[in-house]
mmCIF file of all heavy atoms in Angstrom:
data_model
loop_
_atom_site.group_PDB
_atom_site.id
_atom_site.type_symbol
_atom_site.label_atom_id
_atom_site.label_comp_id
_atom_site.label_asym_id
_atom_site.label_seq_id
_atom_site.Cartn_x
_atom_site.Cartn_y
_atom_site.Cartn_z
ATOM 1 N N MET A 248 94.161 132.796 105.406
ATOM 2 C CA MET A 248 93.535 131.883 106.357
ATOM 3 C C MET A 248 92.038 132.015 106.345
ATOM 4 O O MET A 248 91.518 133.095 106.361
ATOM 5 C CB MET A 248 94.124 132.205 107.688
ATOM 6 C CG MET A 248 93.667 131.148 108.795
ATOM 7 S SD MET A 248 94.492 131.456 110.407
ATOM 8 C CE MET A 248 96.179 131.105 109.992
ATOM 9 N N THR A 249 91.401 130.851 106.360
ATOM 10 C CA THR A 249 89.934 130.894 106.354
ATOM 11 C C THR A 249 89.392 130.513 107.682
ATOM 12 O O THR A 249 89.823 129.586 108.321
ATOM 13 C CB THR A 249 89.407 129.860 105.292
ATOM 14 O OG1 THR A 249 89.922 130.179 104.012
ATOM 15 C CG2 THR A 249 87.916 129.875 105.219
ATOM 16 N N TYR A 250 88.486 131.335 108.124
ATOM 17 C CA TYR A 250 87.833 131.088 109.421
ATOM 18 C C TYR A 250 86.444 130.459 109.224
ATOM 19 O O TYR A 250 85.723 130.909 108.284
ATOM 20 C CB TYR A 250 87.698 132.431 110.202
ATOM 21 C CG TYR A 250 89.044 132.948 110.686
ATOM 22 C CD1 TYR A 250 89.835 133.674 109.922
ATOM 23 C CD2 TYR A 250 89.472 132.588 111.954
ATOM 24 C CE1 TYR A 250 91.060 134.138 110.331
ATOM 25 C CE2 TYR A 250 90.750 133.007 112.451
ATOM 26 C CZ TYR A 250 91.534 133.821 111.615
ATOM 27 O OH TYR A 250 92.720 134.270 112.039
ATOM 28 N N TYR A 251 86.099 129.503 110.025
ATOM 29 C CA TYR A 251 84.859 128.880 109.892
ATOM 30 C C TYR A 251 84.043 129.157 111.171
ATOM 31 O O TYR A 251 84.593 129.263 112.223
ATOM 32 C CB TYR A 251 85.045 127.345 109.729
ATOM 33 C CG TYR A 251 85.564 126.999 108.377
ATOM 34 C CD1 TYR A 251 86.964 126.948 108.111
ATOM 35 C CD2 TYR A 251 84.733 126.689 107.344
ATOM 36 C CE1 TYR A 251 87.458 126.628 106.845
ATOM 37 C CE2 TYR A 251 85.184 126.360 106.045
ATOM 38 C CZ TYR A 251 86.601 126.366 105.819
ATOM 39 O OH TYR A 251 87.013 126.061 104.565
ATOM 40 N N GLU A 252 82.696 129.110 110.954
ATOM 41 C CA GLU A 252 81.793 129.352 112.048
ATOM 42 C C GLU A 252 80.954 128.115 112.254
ATOM 43 O O GLU A 252 80.341 127.698 111.285
ATOM 44 C CB GLU A 252 80.937 130.578 111.799
ATOM 45 C CG GLU A 252 79.951 130.891 112.878
ATOM 46 C CD GLU A 252 79.179 132.208 112.615
ATOM 47 O OE1 GLU A 252 79.336 132.730 111.539
ATOM 48 O OE2 GLU A 252 78.392 132.578 113.471
ATOM 49 N N CYS A 253 80.923 127.660 113.472
ATOM 50 C CA CYS A 253 80.086 126.490 113.804
ATOM 51 C C CYS A 253 78.627 126.842 113.556
ATOM 52 O O CYS A 253 78.142 127.870 114.133
ATOM 53 C CB CYS A 253 80.318 126.011 115.256
ATOM 54 S SG CYS A 253 79.234 124.714 115.748
ATOM 55 N N GLY A 254 77.915 125.993 112.784
ATOM 56 C CA GLY A 254 76.538 126.274 112.511
ATOM 57 C C GLY A 254 75.584 126.072 113.704
ATOM 58 O O GLY A 254 74.481 126.536 113.701
ATOM 59 N N ALA A 255 76.030 125.381 114.759
ATOM 60 C CA ALA A 255 75.248 125.093 115.869
ATOM 61 C C ALA A 255 75.451 126.135 116.993
ATOM 62 O O ALA A 255 74.443 126.487 117.654
ATOM 63 C CB ALA A 255 75.536 123.710 116.412
ATOM 64 N N CYS A 256 76.679 126.611 117.191
ATOM 65 C CA CYS A 256 76.872 127.477 118.367
ATOM 66 C C CYS A 256 77.556 128.785 117.977
ATOM 67 O O CYS A 256 77.654 129.729 118.827
ATOM 68 C CB CYS A 256 77.722 126.771 119.432
ATOM 69 S SG CYS A 256 79.460 126.521 118.962
ATOM 70 N N GLY A 257 78.057 128.934 116.758
ATOM 71 C CA GLY A 257 78.622 130.205 116.360
ATOM 72 C C GLY A 257 80.150 130.339 116.646
ATOM 73 O O GLY A 257 80.717 131.407 116.489
ATOM 74 N N GLN A 258 80.728 129.258 117.238
ATOM 75 C CA GLN A 258 82.161 129.285 117.552
ATOM 76 C C GLN A 258 83.018 129.514 116.231
ATOM 77 O O GLN A 258 82.686 128.895 115.244
ATOM 78 C CB GLN A 258 82.536 127.930 118.179
ATOM 79 C CG GLN A 258 83.972 127.732 118.348
ATOM 80 C CD GLN A 258 84.620 128.534 119.526
ATOM 81 O OE1 GLN A 258 83.814 129.017 120.375
ATOM 82 N NE2 GLN A 258 85.854 128.763 119.535
ATOM 83 N N LEU A 259 83.945 130.366 116.358
ATOM 84 C CA LEU A 259 84.888 130.577 115.250
ATOM 85 C C LEU A 259 86.117 129.775 115.407
ATOM 86 O O LEU A 259 86.668 129.600 116.515
ATOM 87 C CB LEU A 259 85.235 132.110 115.144
ATOM 88 C CG LEU A 259 84.177 132.991 114.655
ATOM 89 C CD1 LEU A 259 84.657 134.493 114.825
ATOM 90 C CD2 LEU A 259 83.782 132.743 113.233
ATOM 91 N N ALA A 260 86.653 129.241 114.268
ATOM 92 C CA ALA A 260 87.882 128.471 114.314
ATOM 93 C C ALA A 260 88.537 128.525 112.953
ATOM 94 O O ALA A 260 87.872 128.749 111.945
ATOM 95 C CB ALA A 260 87.573 127.002 114.646
ATOM 96 N N ASP A 261 89.819 128.464 112.924
ATOM 97 C CA ASP A 261 90.532 128.364 111.738
ATOM 98 C C ASP A 261 91.106 126.983 111.468
ATOM 99 O O ASP A 261 91.871 126.475 112.309
ATOM 100 C CB ASP A 261 91.659 129.446 111.624
ATOM 101 C CG ASP A 261 92.647 129.287 112.711
ATOM 102 O OD1 ASP A 261 92.221 128.928 113.874
ATOM 103 O OD2 ASP A 261 93.838 129.527 112.525
ATOM 104 N N PHE A 262 90.642 126.385 110.392
ATOM 105 C CA PHE A 262 91.160 125.060 110.010
ATOM 106 C C PHE A 262 92.111 125.236 108.876
ATOM 107 O O PHE A 262 91.675 125.428 107.724
ATOM 108 C CB PHE A 262 89.951 124.151 109.579
ATOM 109 C CG PHE A 262 88.980 123.923 110.692
ATOM 110 C CD1 PHE A 262 87.646 124.242 110.518
ATOM 111 C CD2 PHE A 262 89.347 123.406 111.953
ATOM 112 C CE1 PHE A 262 86.729 124.072 111.555
ATOM 113 C CE2 PHE A 262 88.445 123.223 112.938
ATOM 114 C CZ PHE A 262 87.093 123.552 112.727
ATOM 115 N N ALA A 263 93.430 125.198 109.192
ATOM 116 C CA ALA A 263 94.406 125.517 108.173
ATOM 117 C C ALA A 263 94.368 124.562 106.967
ATOM 118 O O ALA A 263 94.734 124.934 105.877
ATOM 119 C CB ALA A 263 95.793 125.505 108.804
ATOM 120 N N ASP A 264 93.939 123.323 107.227
ATOM 121 C CA ASP A 264 93.956 122.321 106.164
ATOM 122 C C ASP A 264 92.615 122.168 105.459
ATOM 123 O O ASP A 264 92.433 121.312 104.632
ATOM 124 C CB ASP A 264 94.413 120.966 106.729
ATOM 125 C CG ASP A 264 93.396 120.510 107.830
ATOM 126 O OD1 ASP A 264 92.804 121.356 108.506
ATOM 127 O OD2 ASP A 264 93.321 119.264 108.039
ATOM 128 N N ALA A 265 91.648 123.037 105.866
ATOM 129 C CA ALA A 265 90.352 122.898 105.297
ATOM 130 C C ALA A 265 90.129 123.829 104.112
ATOM 131 O O ALA A 265 90.686 124.915 104.014
ATOM 132 C CB ALA A 265 89.294 123.278 106.426
ATOM 133 N N HIS A 266 89.350 123.357 103.145
ATOM 134 C CA HIS A 266 88.979 124.159 102.018
ATOM 135 C C HIS A 266 87.504 123.986 101.745
ATOM 136 O O HIS A 266 86.902 122.975 102.105
ATOM 137 C CB HIS A 266 89.820 123.720 100.771
ATOM 138 C CG HIS A 266 91.275 123.850 100.983
ATOM 139 N ND1 HIS A 266 91.912 125.076 100.852
ATOM 140 C CD2 HIS A 266 92.246 122.991 101.306
ATOM 141 C CE1 HIS A 266 93.152 124.926 101.099
ATOM 142 N NE2 HIS A 266 93.437 123.682 101.418
ATOM 143 N N GLY A 267 86.975 124.978 101.014
ATOM 144 C CA GLY A 267 85.543 124.827 100.694
ATOM 145 C C GLY A 267 84.690 125.686 101.617
ATOM 146 O O GLY A 267 85.148 126.235 102.637
ATOM 147 N N ARG A 268 83.421 125.821 101.233
ATOM 148 C CA ARG A 268 82.533 126.743 101.938
ATOM 149 C C ARG A 268 82.052 126.063 103.225
ATOM 150 O O ARG A 268 81.793 126.806 104.144
ATOM 151 C CB ARG A 268 81.353 127.122 101.017
ATOM 152 C CG ARG A 268 81.780 127.977 99.826
ATOM 153 C CD ARG A 268 80.601 128.186 98.960
ATOM 154 N NE ARG A 268 79.508 128.964 99.645
ATOM 155 C CZ ARG A 268 79.385 130.286 99.525
ATOM 156 N NH1 ARG A 268 80.155 130.971 98.792
ATOM 157 N NH2 ARG A 268 78.404 130.839 100.182
ATOM 158 N N THR A 269 81.820 124.841 103.160
ATOM 159 C CA THR A 269 81.298 124.135 104.372
ATOM 160 C C THR A 269 82.134 122.866 104.616
ATOM 161 O O THR A 269 82.722 122.270 103.719
ATOM 162 C CB THR A 269 79.803 123.723 104.206
ATOM 163 O OG1 THR A 269 79.692 122.849 103.122
ATOM 164 C CG2 THR A 269 78.935 125.033 103.970
ATOM 165 N N LEU A 270 82.099 122.446 105.834
ATOM 166 C CA LEU A 270 82.757 121.214 106.183
ATOM 167 C C LEU A 270 82.123 120.679 107.483
ATOM 168 O O LEU A 270 81.484 121.430 108.175
ATOM 169 C CB LEU A 270 84.271 121.356 106.322
ATOM 170 C CG LEU A 270 84.832 122.151 107.455
ATOM 171 C CD1 LEU A 270 86.242 121.719 107.771
ATOM 172 C CD2 LEU A 270 84.847 123.659 107.084
ATOM 173 N N ARG A 271 82.522 119.458 107.757
ATOM 174 C CA ARG A 271 82.009 118.892 109.049
ATOM 175 C C ARG A 271 83.220 118.611 109.927
ATOM 176 O O ARG A 271 84.179 117.959 109.455
ATOM 177 C CB ARG A 271 81.230 117.593 108.822
ATOM 178 C CG ARG A 271 79.887 117.849 108.123
ATOM 179 C CD ARG A 271 79.003 116.619 108.094
ATOM 180 N NE ARG A 271 78.608 116.238 109.432
ATOM 181 C CZ ARG A 271 77.590 116.777 110.142
ATOM 182 N NH1 ARG A 271 76.873 117.763 109.562
ATOM 183 N NH2 ARG A 271 77.278 116.373 111.327
ATOM 184 N N ARG A 272 83.185 119.163 111.100
ATOM 185 C CA ARG A 272 84.324 118.948 112.007
ATOM 186 C C ARG A 272 83.772 118.837 113.451
ATOM 187 O O ARG A 272 82.688 119.235 113.755
ATOM 188 C CB ARG A 272 85.273 120.241 112.013
ATOM 189 C CG ARG A 272 86.196 120.260 110.804
ATOM 190 C CD ARG A 272 87.254 119.226 110.902
ATOM 191 N NE ARG A 272 88.023 119.122 109.623
ATOM 192 C CZ ARG A 272 89.170 119.757 109.455
ATOM 193 N NH1 ARG A 272 89.736 120.485 110.375
ATOM 194 N NH2 ARG A 272 89.836 119.675 108.290
ATOM 195 N N GLU A 273 84.623 118.248 114.322
ATOM 196 C CA GLU A 273 84.312 118.187 115.686
ATOM 197 C C GLU A 273 84.378 119.557 116.358
ATOM 198 O O GLU A 273 85.427 120.221 116.213
ATOM 199 C CB GLU A 273 85.307 117.209 116.415
ATOM 200 C CG GLU A 273 85.053 116.991 117.869
ATOM 201 C CD GLU A 273 84.050 115.867 118.095
ATOM 202 O OE1 GLU A 273 83.690 115.191 117.172
ATOM 203 O OE2 GLU A 273 83.680 115.698 119.226
ATOM 204 N N CYS A 274 83.324 119.990 116.908
ATOM 205 C CA CYS A 274 83.312 121.346 117.595
ATOM 206 C C CYS A 274 83.659 121.189 119.029
ATOM 207 O O CYS A 274 83.073 120.380 119.767
ATOM 208 C CB CYS A 274 81.918 121.987 117.458
ATOM 209 S SG CYS A 274 81.794 123.540 118.312
ATOM 210 N N PRO A 275 84.707 121.895 119.540
ATOM 211 C CA PRO A 275 85.095 121.798 120.948
ATOM 212 C C PRO A 275 84.074 122.306 121.898
ATOM 213 O O PRO A 275 84.063 121.981 123.073
ATOM 214 C CB PRO A 275 86.384 122.648 120.960
ATOM 215 C CG PRO A 275 86.251 123.604 119.841
ATOM 216 C CD PRO A 275 85.473 122.902 118.744
ATOM 217 N N VAL A 276 83.167 123.224 121.415
ATOM 218 C CA VAL A 276 82.127 123.747 122.266
ATOM 219 C C VAL A 276 80.975 122.840 122.318
ATOM 220 O O VAL A 276 80.424 122.490 123.419
ATOM 221 C CB VAL A 276 81.751 125.152 121.796
ATOM 222 C CG1 VAL A 276 80.613 125.732 122.657
ATOM 223 C CG2 VAL A 276 82.926 126.091 121.811
ATOM 224 N N CYS A 277 80.533 122.386 121.165
ATOM 225 C CA CYS A 277 79.390 121.469 121.106
ATOM 226 C C CYS A 277 79.759 120.073 121.542
ATOM 227 O O CYS A 277 78.866 119.296 121.890
ATOM 228 C CB CYS A 277 78.792 121.418 119.650
ATOM 229 S SG CYS A 277 78.183 123.018 119.062
ATOM 230 N N GLU A 278 81.047 119.713 121.463
ATOM 231 C CA GLU A 278 81.561 118.425 121.767
ATOM 232 C C GLU A 278 80.871 117.339 120.923
ATOM 233 O O GLU A 278 80.576 116.249 121.353
ATOM 234 C CB GLU A 278 81.376 118.122 123.272
ATOM 235 C CG GLU A 278 82.165 119.030 124.136
ATOM 236 C CD GLU A 278 82.090 118.693 125.643
ATOM 237 O OE1 GLU A 278 81.057 118.112 125.945
ATOM 238 O OE2 GLU A 278 83.017 118.912 126.349
ATOM 239 N N SER A 279 80.644 117.709 119.670
ATOM 240 C CA SER A 279 80.078 116.761 118.672
ATOM 241 C C SER A 279 80.423 117.290 117.246
ATOM 242 O O SER A 279 80.858 118.418 117.106
ATOM 243 C CB SER A 279 78.579 116.592 118.827
ATOM 244 O OG SER A 279 77.937 117.765 118.570
ATOM 245 N N GLU A 280 80.217 116.459 116.282
ATOM 246 C CA GLU A 280 80.538 116.861 114.906
ATOM 247 C C GLU A 280 79.383 117.775 114.409
ATOM 248 O O GLU A 280 78.242 117.402 114.513
ATOM 249 C CB GLU A 280 80.622 115.605 114.007
ATOM 250 C CG GLU A 280 81.211 115.982 112.658
ATOM 251 C CD GLU A 280 81.368 114.774 111.777
ATOM 252 O OE1 GLU A 280 82.459 114.148 111.842
ATOM 253 O OE2 GLU A 280 80.442 114.449 111.065
ATOM 254 N N THR A 281 79.852 118.931 113.863
ATOM 255 C CA THR A 281 78.862 119.873 113.391
ATOM 256 C C THR A 281 79.251 120.356 112.088
ATOM 257 O O THR A 281 80.329 120.130 111.566
ATOM 258 C CB THR A 281 78.706 121.087 114.376
ATOM 259 O OG1 THR A 281 79.987 121.702 114.442
ATOM 260 C CG2 THR A 281 78.236 120.704 115.730
ATOM 261 N N THR A 282 78.324 121.089 111.373
ATOM 262 C CA THR A 282 78.605 121.715 110.169
ATOM 263 C C THR A 282 79.233 123.095 110.348
ATOM 264 O O THR A 282 78.679 123.913 111.113
ATOM 265 C CB THR A 282 77.358 121.822 109.263
ATOM 266 O OG1 THR A 282 76.821 120.543 109.077
ATOM 267 C CG2 THR A 282 77.656 122.432 107.888
ATOM 268 N N TRP A 283 80.335 123.389 109.682
ATOM 269 C CA TRP A 283 80.968 124.653 109.741
ATOM 270 C C TRP A 283 80.885 125.356 108.430
ATOM 271 O O TRP A 283 81.095 124.723 107.371
ATOM 272 C CB TRP A 283 82.453 124.476 110.159
ATOM 273 C CG TRP A 283 82.653 123.885 111.478
ATOM 274 C CD1 TRP A 283 82.434 122.596 111.907
ATOM 275 C CD2 TRP A 283 83.216 124.570 112.682
ATOM 276 N NE1 TRP A 283 82.763 122.468 113.188
ATOM 277 C CE2 TRP A 283 83.227 123.640 113.696
ATOM 278 C CE3 TRP A 283 83.611 125.892 112.941
ATOM 279 C CZ2 TRP A 283 83.660 123.959 114.988
ATOM 280 C CZ3 TRP A 283 84.034 126.183 114.142
ATOM 281 C CH2 TRP A 283 84.104 125.255 115.194
ATOM 282 N N GLU A 284 80.560 126.638 108.493
ATOM 283 C CA GLU A 284 80.515 127.440 107.273
ATOM 284 C C GLU A 284 81.545 128.529 107.278
ATOM 285 O O GLU A 284 81.909 129.051 108.386
ATOM 286 C CB GLU A 284 79.104 128.042 107.084
ATOM 287 C CG GLU A 284 78.011 126.997 106.951
ATOM 288 C CD GLU A 284 76.659 127.646 106.568
ATOM 289 O OE1 GLU A 284 76.666 128.918 106.402
ATOM 290 O OE2 GLU A 284 75.690 126.893 106.506
ATOM 291 N N THR A 285 82.026 128.913 106.093
ATOM 292 C CA THR A 285 83.022 129.929 106.048
ATOM 293 C C THR A 285 82.522 131.223 106.649
ATOM 294 O O THR A 285 81.445 131.703 106.300
ATOM 295 C CB THR A 285 83.436 130.183 104.584
ATOM 296 O OG1 THR A 285 83.803 128.952 104.013
ATOM 297 C CG2 THR A 285 84.550 131.241 104.450
ATOM 298 N N ALA A 286 83.186 131.797 107.664
ATOM 299 C CA ALA A 286 82.822 133.072 108.234
ATOM 300 C C ALA A 286 83.499 134.221 107.464
ATOM 301 O O ALA A 286 82.800 135.147 107.019
ATOM 302 C CB ALA A 286 83.265 133.080 109.633
ATOM 303 N N PHE A 287 84.837 134.133 107.344
ATOM 304 C CA PHE A 287 85.530 135.094 106.520
ATOM 305 C C PHE A 287 86.900 134.577 106.193
ATOM 306 O O PHE A 287 87.402 133.664 106.884
ATOM 307 C CB PHE A 287 85.572 136.485 107.228
ATOM 308 C CG PHE A 287 86.235 136.488 108.580
ATOM 309 C CD1 PHE A 287 87.614 136.648 108.666
ATOM 310 C CD2 PHE A 287 85.501 136.277 109.719
ATOM 311 C CE1 PHE A 287 88.198 136.647 109.949
ATOM 312 C CE2 PHE A 287 86.057 136.255 110.955
ATOM 313 C CZ PHE A 287 87.444 136.426 111.068
ATOM 314 N N THR A 288 87.507 135.222 105.218
ATOM 315 C CA THR A 288 88.873 134.869 104.795
ATOM 316 C C THR A 288 89.728 136.124 104.930
ATOM 317 O O THR A 288 89.332 137.185 104.379
ATOM 318 C CB THR A 288 88.878 134.348 103.386
ATOM 319 O OG1 THR A 288 88.024 133.252 103.297
ATOM 320 C CG2 THR A 288 90.288 133.867 103.023
ATOM 321 N N ASP A 289 90.850 136.069 105.613
ATOM 322 C CA ASP A 289 91.659 137.259 105.715
ATOM 323 C C ASP A 289 92.780 137.374 104.659
ATOM 324 O O ASP A 289 93.574 138.258 104.713
ATOM 325 C CB ASP A 289 92.230 137.387 107.146
ATOM 326 C CG ASP A 289 93.179 136.250 107.462
ATOM 327 O OD1 ASP A 289 93.483 135.467 106.552
ATOM 328 O OD2 ASP A 289 93.574 136.188 108.632
ATOM 329 N N GLU A 290 92.692 136.497 103.656
ATOM 330 C CA GLU A 290 93.644 136.664 102.557
ATOM 331 C C GLU A 290 93.096 137.635 101.532
ATOM 332 O O GLU A 290 93.877 138.196 100.720
ATOM 333 C CB GLU A 290 93.815 135.272 101.812
ATOM 334 C CG GLU A 290 94.558 134.259 102.699
ATOM 335 C CD GLU A 290 94.665 132.882 101.978
ATOM 336 O OE1 GLU A 290 95.048 132.946 100.827
ATOM 337 O OE2 GLU A 290 94.358 131.850 102.581
ATOM 338 N N ARG A 291 91.814 137.881 101.603
ATOM 339 C CA ARG A 291 91.231 138.858 100.666
ATOM 340 C C ARG A 291 90.498 139.926 101.476
ATOM 341 O O ARG A 291 89.771 139.589 102.415
ATOM 342 C CB ARG A 291 90.251 138.110 99.765
ATOM 343 C CG ARG A 291 90.813 137.126 98.815
ATOM 344 C CD ARG A 291 89.826 136.264 98.196
ATOM 345 N NE ARG A 291 88.915 137.058 97.337
ATOM 346 C CZ ARG A 291 87.846 136.562 96.690
ATOM 347 N NH1 ARG A 291 87.552 135.279 96.876
ATOM 348 N NH2 ARG A 291 87.132 137.325 95.936
ATOM 349 N N THR A 292 90.689 141.128 101.118
ATOM 350 C CA THR A 292 90.030 142.199 101.752
ATOM 351 C C THR A 292 88.996 142.847 100.796
ATOM 352 O O THR A 292 89.184 142.769 99.585
ATOM 353 C CB THR A 292 91.038 143.340 102.221
ATOM 354 O OG1 THR A 292 91.744 143.774 101.139
ATOM 355 C CG2 THR A 292 91.997 142.730 103.285
ATOM 356 N N GLY A 293 87.976 143.409 101.393
ATOM 357 C CA GLY A 293 86.999 144.076 100.590
ATOM 358 C C GLY A 293 86.114 143.089 99.848
ATOM 359 O O GLY A 293 85.610 143.397 98.774
ATOM 360 N N VAL A 294 85.920 141.901 100.382
ATOM 361 C CA VAL A 294 85.054 140.919 99.761
ATOM 362 C C VAL A 294 83.583 141.384 99.916
ATOM 363 O O VAL A 294 83.188 141.782 100.958
ATOM 364 C CB VAL A 294 85.223 139.570 100.462
ATOM 365 C CG1 VAL A 294 84.300 138.567 99.813
ATOM 366 C CG2 VAL A 294 86.649 139.032 100.235
ATOM 367 N N SER A 295 82.933 141.379 98.791
ATOM 368 C CA SER A 295 81.526 141.768 98.811
ATOM 369 C C SER A 295 80.729 140.712 98.087
ATOM 370 O O SER A 295 81.203 140.154 97.127
ATOM 371 C CB SER A 295 81.310 143.118 98.215
ATOM 372 O OG SER A 295 81.790 143.186 96.871
ATOM 373 N N PHE A 296 79.467 140.622 98.424
ATOM 374 C CA PHE A 296 78.610 139.629 97.753
ATOM 375 C C PHE A 296 77.488 140.332 97.085
ATOM 376 O O PHE A 296 76.967 141.355 97.569
ATOM 377 C CB PHE A 296 78.102 138.615 98.771
ATOM 378 C CG PHE A 296 79.182 137.706 99.282
ATOM 379 C CD1 PHE A 296 79.814 138.032 100.473
ATOM 380 C CD2 PHE A 296 79.608 136.579 98.588
ATOM 381 C CE1 PHE A 296 80.854 137.251 100.941
ATOM 382 C CE2 PHE A 296 80.669 135.826 99.090
ATOM 383 C CZ PHE A 296 81.224 136.147 100.229
HETATM 384 ZN ZN1 ZN B 1224 79.677 124.395 118.034
#
């Protein structure tokens, strides 16, 4: 499962049907469409960059 972080407020959410590093979704906190970036994925452990 991939968790995304709202670029505007930092809210975390998991979009089960979402793929890719970034996407645009309606943020329930911002109450508008924002850019979400991948925060972390729990399918892989020990991910390093
Ligand atoms: Zn937000």
Side-chain angles (χ1 to χ4, degrees):
M248 187 173 293
T249 302
Y250 289 86
Y251 289 88
E252 181 177 4
C253 174
C256 71
Q258 171 75 18
L259 288 173
D261 57 324
F262 300 122
D264 61 333
H266 298 282
R268 293 176 61 98
T269 63
L270 69 155
R271 293 190 64 82
R272 283 289 172 97
E273 184 84 9
C274 177
V276 177
C277 298
E278 297 184 331
S279 63
E280 190 178 273
T281 60
T282 301
W283 296 71
E284 295 188 5
T285 305
F287 59 90
T288 304
D289 63 8
E290 291 177 50
R291 296 169 61 186
T292 57
V294 176
S295 59
F296 292 96

